[in-house]
Amino acid sequence: MPTTTLIEPHGGTLCELIVPEAEREALKEKALTLPSITLTPRQLCDIELLLNGGFSPLRGFLNRADYDRVVEEMRLQNGILWPMPITLDVSEEVARTLNPGDEVALRDPTGLLLAVMHIEDVWKPDKEREARLVFGTTSTEHPAVAYLMHEAGDYYVGGTLKGVQLPVHYDFKELRHTPAQLRAEFERREWERIVAFQTRNPMHRAHKELTDRAAEEVGGHLLIHPVVGMTKPGDIDYYTRVRCYRKLLKYYPDGRAMLSLLPLAMRMGGPREAVWHAIIRKNYGCTHLIIGRDHAGPGKDSSGKPFYGPYDAQELVQKYQDELGIGVVPFKLMVYVPDQDTYKPIDEVKEGERTLSISGTELRRRLAEGEEIPEWFSYPEVVAELRRTHPPRHQQGFTVFFTGLSGSGKSTIANALMTRLLELTGRPVTLLDGDVVRTHLSKGLGFSKEDRSINVRRIGYVASEITKHRGIAICAPIAPYEADRQYNRQLISSFGGYIEVFVDTPLEVCEQRDVKGLYAKARAGLIKGFTGIDDPYEPPSNPEIVCRTTEETVEQCVEKILDYLYQEGYLRKEENDA
């Protein structure tokens, strides 16, 4: 019989919230009479880790008292360390229907009942305060702040959960362990000292060397525990990553490492997130966590300033290490020493020793341009998996997204670009023009701010599907709001290229060109909420291309866009000669 002694969960008890089988049918019956909330992708990740005990000692979404103390002090009301607000956000419309003492059914998008929540609080949070204290910034260039300000509902609902079942997954089922299941597997293997490796990226030789050394350093075993919930926009999809991890496993010594998937919605919250990751791994039975440079940080803002210092995460976890009870293995940057054909931590490299490394940006460039990726950097099987889903840029789909005022010339340039692309490439090209989309895709939508946003995001969704399947999409709505354009950029960029073209035509010129008489009607008050008259147009902050139709002809604008597509590798001259 195994005699393994595993680390205690955070708070002393693994809080699995699925009710016993005998209660489930009664709970399902009761839920039929309750109001329902359909959970978002982030909320689905959160509820899975609430129900399976990964977020122990939480027993539901935070109530207001717990939320306030977590935001201010990184502690629950009972004093237990907890760094991240786990909140159920809803719209004002939904919040008005809910009251403390009520119960509400929480369902996935198919209507499947996951849990019933006993409501303790419904409140409108101060989101700027939350952003400032939790993420250290109110800049929406931080992905978690952007989500908080533009995606999350304006009200929070807090309360305890009675779980009916976990969210359903049909992929990689043998790798999806709950904390209790993973702990049982550690006991079966008689593993006691387990170091977890948190990752949202593919792993290469440097990562393998690093994790191997970490397991040796703690005198134990390695859990590769990648995030397969929500990560940073633009990250490589988890299906590709998991196939890469599986290929990598065979390079570890027998019995040293195992792979398990974590359904976490990352916030990219840097130091606080690192503490959160340590707590989660402790709940899963790990005794140590590798903490890297800028662990769980989103990188730099548009001015090049990092959101967090390189060692802020390590320092905060080490500050609470005694209370956490989980060891920290600091990440040492590994570099390749070609003269010895080996990897070394950078602090062990001797003066004058030659080293090689390839950054994530450089790797993406090599994949995009079809360049060689050397064997000293990664394993051939891993590179082959990456190439399967990330072909060279000229084989990827892309979207050209025009934005500008009504009458700026978007549709004219978009139509001309479409015909030139059909002439040059022979590839499928789809034009999603504003008027055409409103006739076929968004019929019934009005021109309120909300309806305009829905229309633009619908266009983005269709363009993302075209891009995913390696076609070319050209979009030409007004798209007046920066938040909607950024949403589309993030969505489409995960599948291929996104090229934003700002058709920068002055309002007075647009009015002079007013073939439909819309500006005149807006000036006369016959049309309300017209962009540029009584509703704002937010110019793009960083478009790839700017076309000025007062200075450039349609043909010049099209050639400028084509030049960019050739320069960035989305088109190749050889296609024209074929």
Side-chain angles (χ1 to χ4, degrees):
M1 290 290 290
T3 57
T4 307
T5 302
L6 295 178
I7 190 172
E8 272 197 351
H10 193 55
T13 304
L14 193 64
C15 298
E16 296 176 283
L17 305 181
I18 302 291
V19 299
E21 193 170 348
E23 295 179 38
R24 282 179 219 160
E25 289 308 313
L27 206 55
K28 288 179 186 177
E29 191 75 25
K30 183 179 187 180
L32 295 174
T33 64
L34 298 176
S36 291
I37 294 174
T38 300
L39 301 178
T40 65
R42 175 184 281 193
Q43 292 166 351
L44 284 169
C45 291
D46 286 351
I47 201 170
E48 181 163 0
L49 288 164
L50 285 167
L51 296 180
N52 73 14
F55 282 172
S56 298
L58 303 190
R59 294 186 173 273
F61 290 98
L62 296 187
N63 60 31
R64 187 166 190 174
D66 279 326
Y67 164 82
D68 283 335
R69 193 167 181 199
V70 166
V71 168
E72 292 280 351
E73 303 176 45
M74 290 180 39
R75 293 192 182 277
L76 301 169
Q77 272 295 95
N78 61 13
I80 293 176
L81 182 69
W82 188 268
M84 199 63 64
I86 307 300
T87 53
L88 182 66
D89 58 281
V90 298
S91 66
E92 182 177 2
E93 182 182 10
V94 171
R96 283 200 194 112
T97 68
L98 304 174
N99 296 291
D102 291 350
E103 289 185 312
V104 63
L106 304 182
R107 301 180 182 273
D108 78 1
T110 71
L112 183 71
L113 179 68
L114 301 178
V116 170
M117 180 182 194
H118 176 79
I119 298 172
E120 295 174 17
D121 291 300
V122 182
W123 77 100
K124 185 173 186 178
D126 180 343
K127 288 187 175 183
E128 284 210 4
R129 169 177 165 266
E130 180 179 333
R132 187 178 67 257
L133 293 176
V134 176
F135 303 112
T137 180
T138 57
S139 168
T140 53
E141 291 186 37
H142 190 298
V145 178
Y147 185 94
L148 184 65
M149 299 303 184
H150 299 311
E151 300 295 319
D154 288 334
Y155 284 77
Y156 289 167
V157 184
T160 54
L161 296 177
K162 287 185 176 180
V164 174
Q165 70 170 81
L166 297 176
V168 176
H169 300 286
Y170 297 101
D171 58 334
F172 303 120
K173 294 180 83 163
E174 73 283 7
L175 298 176
R176 292 181 178 274
H177 306 94
T178 66
Q181 289 168 343
L182 199 55
R183 285 169 166 268
E185 180 62 18
F186 291 156
E187 288 185 338
R188 187 188 72 79
R189 296 184 181 212
E190 299 186 358
W191 287 10
E192 290 191 8
R193 296 175 67 78
I194 304 119
V195 59
F197 183 59
Q198 150 86 30
T199 181
R200 49 172 245 275
N201 294 306
M203 292 174 66
H204 303 290
R205 279 193 59 184
H207 302 102
K208 190 267 176 187
E209 296 291 336
L210 163 76
T211 50
D212 229 357
R213 284 173 176 245
E216 286 180 6
E217 188 177 310
V218 304
H221 299 85
L222 173 69
L223 175 69
I224 301 172
H225 209 202
V227 172
V228 296
M230 296 174 70
T231 60
K232 185 181 177 183
D235 282 350
I236 288 175
D237 67 278
Y238 77 77
Y239 301 101
T240 300
R241 290 191 286 114
V242 174
R243 291 196 298 270
C244 289
Y245 303 139
R246 280 177 152 169
K247 301 290 187 186
L248 186 82
L249 271 178
K250 73 176 188 180
Y251 288 98
Y252 288 96
D254 282 349
R256 169 160 293 170
M258 71 171 286
L259 172 65
S260 183
L261 309 185
L262 180 68
L264 178 71
M266 289 185 69
R267 273 59 165 177
M268 307 307 298
R272 279 200 184 214
E273 179 130 354
V275 175
W276 191 38
H277 289 173
I279 290 170
I280 293 166
R281 279 12 185 268
K282 179 183 174 184
N283 288 331
Y284 273 87
C286 299
T287 56
H288 294 77
L289 174 65
I290 297 169
I291 303 283
R293 281 173 55 93
D294 194 25
H295 184 100
K300 299 175 182 178
D301 64 18
S302 57
S303 69
K305 181 184 177 185
F307 282 101
Y308 307 111
Y311 302 108
D312 289 356
Q314 291 180 5
E315 289 169 5
L316 193 66
V317 176
Q318 285 169 335
K319 175 182 175 181
Y320 292 105
Q321 189 166 339
D322 290 345
E323 192 171 352
L324 286 167
I326 182 169
V328 176
V329 181
F331 185 109
K332 302 176 184 70
L333 180 65
M334 303 291 287
V335 292
Y336 180 64
V337 182
D339 296 337
Q340 300 174 32
D341 188 26
T342 191
Y343 274 83
K344 285 185 179 181
I346 197 163
D347 57 350
E348 292 181 16
V349 174
K350 296 173 183 173
E351 189 176 348
E353 237 176 355
R354 190 164 65 99
T355 64
L356 296 173
S357 62
I358 293 178
S359 68
T361 302
E362 172 66 8
L363 174 63
R364 287 189 290 274
R365 186 195 67 78
R366 288 182 182 231
L367 286 170
E369 297 182 12
E371 287 188 14
E372 180 197 4
I373 297 168
E375 284 200 32
W376 63 259
F377 174 76
S378 195
Y379 299 100
E381 303 95 321
V382 171
V383 173
E385 285 294 343
L386 291 174
R387 290 202 190 280
R388 279 175 62 192
T389 49
H390 292 78
R393 191 168 281 165
H394 70 276
Q395 294 177 11
Q396 295 176 15
F398 62 86
T399 292
V400 181
F401 194 96
F402 289 88
T403 177
L405 292 167
S406 177
S408 62
K410 301 182 304 299
S411 295
T412 305
I413 301 169
N415 274 283
L417 177 65
M418 177 179 69
T419 59
R420 289 284 281 135
L421 287 169
L422 289 169
E423 172 197 349
L424 292 169
T425 70
R427 295 172 63 182
V429 183
T430 302
L431 175 61
L432 299 167
D433 187 55
D435 290 339
V436 175
V437 165
R438 279 194 170 271
T439 301
H440 297 287
L441 183 65
S442 296
K443 192 173 183 178
L445 287 181
F447 290 87
S448 67
K449 180 169 184 177
E450 182 181 10
D451 280 0
R452 290 178 197 199
S453 290
I454 292 170
N455 181 54
V456 170
R457 294 186 186 211
R458 282 183 184 175
I459 292 171
Y461 171 74
V462 174
S464 75
E465 289 295 307
I466 294 167
T467 301
K468 181 198 297 184
H469 295 287
R470 301 182 185 175
I472 299 172
I474 302 173
C475 309
I478 293 172
Y481 309 125
E482 178 75 1
D484 297 326
R485 296 192 299 263
Q486 288 300 321
Y487 175 88
N488 284 349
R489 178 183 289 276
Q490 291 179 4
L491 178 64
I492 295 165
S493 294
S494 61
F495 301 118
Y498 181 89
I499 300 96
E500 188 173 75
V501 181
F502 176 29
V503 184
D504 186 6
T505 306
L507 177 62
E508 57 270 20
V509 175
C510 294
E511 288 199 65
Q512 290 166 13
R513 298 175 178 172
D514 190 14
V515 293
K516 299 177 186 176
L518 297 175
Y519 282 101
K521 289 179 181 178
R523 293 284 187 195
L526 300 176
I527 300 176
K528 301 295 183 186
F530 192 79
T531 301
I533 303 301
D534 56 350
D535 195 71
Y537 177 81
E538 300 170 2
S541 55
N542 196 25
E544 279 71 22
I545 300 166
V546 178
C547 292
R548 295 183 173 86
T549 59
T550 54
E551 304 167 11
E552 300 164 314
T553 65
V554 171
E555 290 81 3
Q556 286 171 329
C557 291
V558 169
E559 289 306 315
K560 180 188 282 190
I561 297 165
L562 290 174
D563 286 346
Y564 179 88
L565 293 171
Y566 282 121
Q567 177 187 320
E568 294 299 315
Y570 293 109
L571 299 179
R572 292 201 307 183
K573 294 292 183 185
E574 301 92 277
E575 289 185 69
N576 304 353
D577 302 331

